[in-house]
Amino acid sequence: MAILKVTGLTKRFDNVLALEDVSFEAERGEIVGILGPNGAGKTTLIHLIPGLIRPTSGRIEVFGMALDENRSSILARMNFASNYVSLPYSLTLWENMMVYALMYGVRDKGARIREVLALFRLLELKDRPARVLSSGQMMRLCLAKAMINRPEILLLDEPLSGLDPETARNSRELIRKLSREEGLAVLYTSHNLAEMQELSDRVLFLEKGRILMQGSSASLLGRYRVETLEELFFKVLRHES
């Protein structure tokens, strides 16, 4: 059974139709990349899945449960990180992590915080206030926060934007490792098409709020006779020959 099932999801903001009749599933251990031009509905979709905003119509089922009826129990097993959201600047890295460890009821809080900060190479900065972090370090802290409760579903909105190439590579490898070894389902958005091609098991192409196509990178590239997602993006979404 799919760990996440989205059926007929539509979201309208006043007169703007952000998403229309979006349906897809995600399995345990699967990394699903959400691709599309600006305004395609990527972030709206990522925000709908944990209930940060409510759909106009459609249904979201997580762990076999309806989101709107079981949101608290579902969120305890899910987490989220975004390049557009920073953590409180006045708190140290340790204090930031402790807030979320308490929020999620994490057992052995100190040990888990040390473990996750070490995973993202932040342990030596644990007593520094978040305001002194570089943008890349702040994104790594957001990713560390997102792993504090050992989530089964991880939602990432442009998670590796702003990271230097080595840190971005290490983060991709860590996300892949966690997905494979712990059965973590990952949904993420990115404008880095090479990164998405390398990391994703499956890709959703959104255009004007609708799923234009979905499938593995290999199957989509073969269907359109191109070698990269960048070529596919311009051939299909920009209607190039």
Side-chain angles (χ1 to χ4, degrees):
M1 183 176 67
I3 194 171
L4 169 67
K5 184 175 182 179
V6 174
T7 307
L9 202 61
T10 295
K11 178 60 180 177
R12 183 181 293 276
F13 296 99
D14 296 326
N15 295 323
V16 177
L17 186 61
L19 286 176
E20 183 179 6
D21 196 27
V22 168
S23 299
F24 69 94
E25 297 182 358
E27 305 287 342
R28 291 185 184 276
E30 184 178 30
I31 300 176
V32 180
I34 303 171
L35 175 63
N38 290 335
K42 303 183 298 297
T43 296
T44 298
L45 179 56
I46 286 286
H47 286 180
L48 281 164
I49 291 170
L52 297 178
I53 55 177
R54 294 180 61 86
T56 304
S57 62
R59 182 176 176 85
I60 301 172
E61 295 180 45
V62 191
F63 313 119
M65 300 181 289
L67 175 65
D68 55 356
E69 299 168 7
N70 303 277
R71 186 167 182 260
S72 294
S73 59
I74 287 171
L75 290 184
R77 301 164 63 186
M78 182 186 292
N79 216 313
F80 171 86
S82 172
N83 184 50
Y84 306 108
V85 177
S86 296
L87 300 179
Y89 289 127
S90 60
L91 300 183
T92 66
L93 276 67
W94 186 272
E95 290 167 340
N96 266 293
M97 295 294 290
M98 182 59 73
V99 167
Y100 285 94
L102 289 166
M103 183 183 301
Y104 281 97
V106 175
R107 296 180 181 179
D108 300 321
K109 298 175 184 61
R112 180 58 178 168
I113 291 171
R114 285 184 174 275
E115 179 184 11
V116 176
L117 287 178
L119 276 175
F120 290 94
R121 297 187 298 165
L122 292 169
L123 187 56
E124 69 279 6
L125 304 177
K126 66 182 178 64
D127 296 320
R128 297 187 186 181
R131 64 175 173 270
V132 306
L133 299 181
S134 67
S135 59
Q137 289 169 334
M138 178 60 82
M139 191 64 243
R140 281 155 56 198
L141 179 60
C142 290
L143 287 169
K145 180 277 296 182
M147 295 305 303
I148 191 67
N149 61 322
R150 296 181 175 87
E152 297 170 61
I153 296 179
L154 185 59
L155 306 172
L156 303 174
D157 192 12
E158 304 234 13
L160 307 184
S161 177
L163 299 185
D164 63 80
E166 181 181 5
T167 303
R169 182 188 64 188
N170 291 339
S171 297
R172 286 195 301 271
E173 291 174 352
L174 180 56
I175 291 169
R176 172 67 72 183
K177 181 174 183 288
L178 291 169
S179 176
R180 290 293 178 263
E181 294 183 358
E182 300 185 16
L184 177 65
V186 181
L187 274 73
Y188 81 104
T189 72
S190 177
H191 288 292
N192 186 328
L193 303 187
E195 168 192 296
M196 184 169 287
Q197 185 171 340
E198 174 187 342
L199 189 59
S200 297
D201 298 302
R202 187 155 49 90
V203 176
L204 304 181
F205 272 80
L206 289 178
E207 184 181 31
K208 297 179 181 179
R210 296 183 64 89
I211 294 181
L212 188 61
M213 66 183 78
Q214 63 176 299
S216 68
S217 293
S219 67
L220 295 179
L221 298 182
R223 186 189 311 170
Y224 288 91
R225 298 181 181 179
V226 293
E227 295 184 358
T228 67
L229 285 181
E230 182 175 7
E231 291 180 77
L232 181 60
F233 183 94
F234 287 107
K235 183 171 185 177
V236 176
L237 295 183
R238 298 309 186 200
H239 310 292
E240 293 187 354
S241 59

